Amino acid sequence: MRNARHLQWASVLPIGGMALLLCGCAELQTQPRGPVAFTREEAPPFSFCVIGNTRAGTRAWPNDPASPSVYYLEQIGWINRCEPDFTVNLGDMIAGDRANPLRLTAQQWDAFDDTMRSYRQPLYMVAGSRDVWDAASAALYVERYGQLYYSWDHKGSHFTVLSAEVPGEEGLIGPAQREWLNRDLVLAAGAQHRFVFVNAPIWKGTRDGANAWMRDVQPLLQECRVDAVFAAQNNWYEPDDIGGI
């Protein structure tokens, strides 16, 4: 599924009286458009799925180094049964190959594309640290799937993907990306809901990264009334509330 954007699992999150199903088609935006047009009364209901860390642990085909996880294939089936509008994958979608990114890593992405054809709805992607770890792997990812950070609108709500895997700015949301985020969220002021996705919970990471997030990113998210931020990487479910988000 090259040049596509899409994610998945299942829980229910109450947001402003709305029950959001995170079992959880939109238009790709690499640059902010005009403000979202729907009013709160007009916006139709929808659901989307969120999943992450789907690289192969237990391979479906043990002798194939590019094999998807047997559990991931099962989860796609459950997602299809939920019939969401779309899915977001929070990253670490492949195992990666730091020794030879242009060979085995490309093979893994080919297998990933084959697996994605099992989805019955769009899939939006967030690059993780196993997907992108240097300039070469970033170039490979961008060539196949587009920019590392981007946004889209769907039924009156706004969705923003951030990346802490930009080469030279790993673990952080860099100045150029923060400037882009500010423009993106300002233009989404009229949206009924605003959601942000990032691979890792930076605010819980190393001291420098967490401090930078709380200093440079969190105030912007609060000012622009973001409803929820989704991250993966940590292998447990941990709902939290920081500044009302």
Side-chain angles (χ1 to χ4, degrees):
M1 188 174 285
R2 298 190 182 190
N3 300 319
R5 299 285 193 179
H6 315 302
L7 180 147
Q8 357 29 259
W9 49 276
S11 180
V12 176
L13 178 68
I15 295 180
M18 177 187 72
L20 175 66
L21 174 66
L22 308 180
C23 115
C25 192
E27 178 181 347
L28 170 65
Q29 290 176 230
T30 54
Q31 297 295 329
R33 276 195 316 230
V36 179
F38 284 113
T39 67
R40 188 171 295 271
E41 291 73 23
E42 295 172 336
F46 64 98
S47 65
F48 63 98
C49 291
V50 179
I51 196 169
N53 213 14
T54 55
R55 69 187 189 278
T58 301
R59 296 174 180 171
W61 304 292
N63 296 325
D64 183 353
S67 170
S69 164
V70 63
Y71 304 115
Y72 186 35
L73 296 179
E74 182 180 70
Q75 289 159 359
I76 292 175
W78 281 103
I79 289 167
N80 288 337
R81 291 180 64 178
C82 289
E83 298 183 341
D85 286 41
F86 58 85
T87 296
V88 181
N89 194 316
L90 291 172
D92 288 347
M93 295 168 279
I94 63 172
D97 182 5
R98 294 172 182 261
N100 195 344
L102 298 183
R103 182 178 58 81
L104 183 55
T105 301
Q107 181 183 350
Q108 292 174 4
W109 283 125
D110 288 342
F112 175 84
D113 292 343
D114 290 339
T115 301
M116 291 308 99
R117 294 188 181 98
S118 300
Y119 282 99
R120 297 175 185 168
Q121 62 282 319
L123 177 71
Y124 291 86
M125 298 165 57
V126 182
S129 57
R130 288 180 176 269
D131 309 317
V132 171
W133 59 87
D134 60 12
S137 59
L140 179 63
Y141 184 93
V142 169
E143 178 185 359
R144 297 179 68 116
Y145 305 109
Q147 296 301 312
L148 294 176
Y149 52 92
Y150 61 98
S151 66
W152 73 95
D153 299 324
H154 183 72
K155 294 184 178 179
S157 290
H158 189 72
F159 302 82
T160 303
V161 167
L162 299 179
S163 178
E165 312 306 331
V166 175
E169 299 178 347
E170 293 86 352
L172 301 168
I173 305 300
Q177 188 173 178
R178 293 199 304 271
E179 182 179 346
W180 173 87
L181 175 63
N182 181 69
R183 296 196 309 271
D184 180 70
L185 292 178
V186 166
L187 287 174
Q192 183 176 22
H193 297 287
R194 286 153 296 280
F195 303 102
V196 172
F197 306 89
V198 65
N199 170 244
I202 303 172
W203 54 93
K204 292 180 178 293
T206 62
R207 181 175 179 180
D208 289 344
N211 288 346
W213 177 279
M214 296 305 296
R215 181 188 67 238
D216 300 328
V217 180
Q218 182 70 21
L220 176 59
L221 302 182
Q222 293 177 205
E223 179 182 353
C224 294
R225 295 180 296 114
V226 167
D227 290 274
V229 179
F230 299 91
Q233 198 171 78
N234 293 345
N235 296 322
W236 55 83
Y237 177 54
E238 185 178 15
D240 206 348
D241 186 304
I242 302 176
I245 299 176

